[in-house]
Amino acid sequence: MPALTDRPTSLKTDGACASSLTYRLMSQAGRNPECRSAAKVVLSLARAATELSLLLGRGPLGGAHATATGNQNVDGDVQKSLDVLANDMIVEALRRTPTAYYASEEEDAILTLAQNGLVAVAVDPLDGSSNIDSNVSIGTIFSIFPTSRDGATASFFRPGSEQLAAGYFIYGPHTALVLTTGHGTDVYVLDPLTKSFSLAAAHISIPRETQEFAINASNYRHWFDPVRTFIDDCYAGAEGPHAKDFNMRWIASLVAETHRIFMRGGVFLYPADARKGYQQGRLRLIYEAAPIAFLVEQAGGFAIDGPNRILDLVPTSLHQRTPLHFGSADKVNKIRRYHEDPAFLRRTAPLFNTRGLFNA
Ligand code: F6P
Ligand code: MN
């Protein structure tokens, strides 16, 4: 978004102080129509996330915690899973914004909302929702593109580097919004008393180096050589090629994992592996990997699929999966080099299985 210029008038500033999400977004958007549209989208998402956070905060008392769709509640109504409910709340919120196209993990196809809208919004409405019952942090991830003249598909099938804005809401002990509009990554926190988000940290940065990695290690036997060797080398600790001891984490909630990395560094890996259905990893490119990569790069980190930068990838299908590795830049660059080591390209030929780049 362009730097702060004058204040748009159609977005209400009433009562907004300089650290409020409303004030900051309106100030940053200036007169640029696409940026103003993106600002309206973020504010609408923030309202939906506020409601969602209150609902989630009531836990099983909220009556909407059925994890399976199609259950009947005591009144005979069909209960929706929270994923579907969150999606419905977000679609309703976006109907009041200049959103032309809406893509979601919960929708088979792209929805058209406002015919002449200037932006296209992709959302993972409730990321990590399998963790709801264990009361672990979950979130809502979003990505905002300018609408393409070539229509709905073209608005999303483009490199993540063309995003106007991206962010996630994390519903944890407190609810926070981590947001980028391409000028750094900022953290806002929801005050449940006033139902408003205020700036908690501007221009956060991920430490370049780390001693912490996150991966679902139960898949070890399915990994391909680059990731398996990288992790073996982490396990080897101070005696191994990384020459230091590592700590390991796995929450199985992408937003929670990302938030930890923003707060104290680290790397996250969800690789492709040999299991059926995991040849391209697990996470979705358009509404998970691309927005997280934008936030991470804006905080000085890096995100790759193995050999390639995530923000350079061009999706060819709406729910396309991608391997995803992100976090502290030095370590992610190292993971990339493991993917480029010719020794690992011939994983079945013992002759070529001697280590090249990393045992020096
Ligand atoms: O959205 C997919 C997701 O729930 C992420 O939040 C999380 O990182 C991942 O899946 C966990 O996958 P697994 O259960 O295979 O460890
Ligand atoms: Mn998800």
Side-chain angles (χ1 to χ4, degrees):
M1 283 190 184
L4 191 151
T5 52
D6 59 345
R7 317 259 156 73
T9 48
S10 68
L11 294 167
K12 289 204 194 95
T13 51
D14 314 359
C17 70
S19 64
S20 79
L21 176 65
T22 313
Y23 182 91
R24 285 175 58 86
L25 276 176
M26 291 187 301
S27 301
Q28 287 172 3
R31 289 183 182 278
N32 180 300
E34 282 172 347
C35 294
R36 292 182 62 169
S37 296
K40 288 178 186 172
V41 164
V42 174
L43 292 173
S44 279
L45 290 173
R47 278 190 285 275
T50 302
E51 294 311 310
L52 202 47
S53 144
L54 295 174
L55 181 66
L56 293 168
R58 295 193 67 207
L61 305 179
H65 268 63
T67 44
T69 336
N71 291 345
Q72 290 211 327
N73 67 17
V74 283
D75 300 320
D77 297 333
V78 174
Q79 286 185 325
K80 294 177 174 180
S81 75
L82 269 174
D83 298 86
V84 176
L85 195 63
N87 186 56
D88 291 350
M89 290 165 73
I90 288 165
V91 176
E92 277 322 301
L94 292 180
R95 282 191 197 285
R96 296 186 288 271
T97 70
T99 300
Y101 305 118
Y102 176 69
S104 162
E105 178 160 7
E106 300 301 326
E107 305 281 353
D108 290 340
I110 298 170
L111 303 185
T112 299
L113 301 182
Q115 282 294 347
N116 297 316
L118 295 182
V119 293
V121 184
V123 177
D124 179 353
L126 214 50
D127 173 69
S129 57
S130 65
N131 287 304
I132 288 170
D133 294 338
S134 34
N135 206 13
V136 163
S137 299
I138 54 178
T140 299
I141 309 173
F142 61 91
S143 161
I144 306 176
F145 283 100
T147 306
S148 162
R149 279 200 206 103
D150 297 326
T153 307
S155 296
F156 295 107
F157 289 17
R158 62 209 295 186
S161 55
E162 294 179 12
Q163 290 171 97
L164 275 177
Y168 65 79
F169 296 91
I170 179 167
Y171 312 108
H174 62 260
T175 292
L177 161 64
V178 181
L179 175 69
T180 183
T181 56
H183 298 280
T185 295
D186 300 330
V187 181
Y188 296 84
V189 171
L190 173 67
D191 181 343
L193 298 179
T194 59
K195 291 190 175 181
S196 59
F197 284 86
S198 294
L199 186 70
H203 295 277
I204 56 171
S205 68
I206 301 174
R208 283 197 73 83
E209 247 309 323
T210 181
Q211 301 196 196
E212 200 159 79
F213 64 92
I215 193 165
N216 184 340
S218 68
N219 298 320
Y220 180 90
R221 70 190 185 285
H222 304 298
W223 296 335
F224 301 121
D225 282 0
V227 164
R228 194 191 296 208
T229 314
F230 173 79
I231 297 296
D232 281 344
D233 290 349
C234 293
Y235 289 154
E239 289 81 45
H242 299 308
K244 60 182 174 186
D245 292 329
F246 280 82
N247 192 20
M248 189 173 83
R249 289 284 181 272
W250 189 248
I251 308 174
S253 172
L254 177 60
V255 285
E257 228 89 60
T258 307
H259 210 68
R260 186 193 58 249
I261 288 173
F262 278 132
M263 295 302 132
R264 66 174 195 222
V267 283
F268 170 100
L269 300 93
Y270 208 118
D273 67 47
R275 286 175 294 164
K276 196 164 178 267
Y278 284 78
Q279 300 284 320
Q280 292 305 318
R282 172 176 178 135
L283 301 169
R284 314 294 181 141
L285 176 54
I286 293 180
Y287 43 79
E288 292 184 315
I292 296 294
F294 193 19
L295 289 165
V296 165
E297 284 204 9
Q298 287 294 316
F302 195 35
I304 57 172
D305 70 350
N308 310 299
R309 178 183 178 227
I310 290 287
L311 292 180
D312 290 338
L313 301 178
V314 180
T316 52
S317 69
L318 192 55
H319 300 289
Q320 182 173 330
R321 296 176 194 270
T322 179
L324 173 63
H325 315 307
F326 69 86
S328 298
D330 286 357
K331 205 49 98 210
V332 176
N333 275 316
K334 199 165 257 182
I335 296 170
R336 190 183 210 176
R337 292 206 297 277
Y338 278 73
H339 285 83
E340 291 164 352
D341 187 337
F344 302 136
L345 301 178
R346 301 178 175 88
R347 61 185 302 237
T348 51
L351 183 63
F352 295 105
N353 251 351
T354 45
R355 300 287 307 285
L357 289 175
F358 304 104
N359 51 4

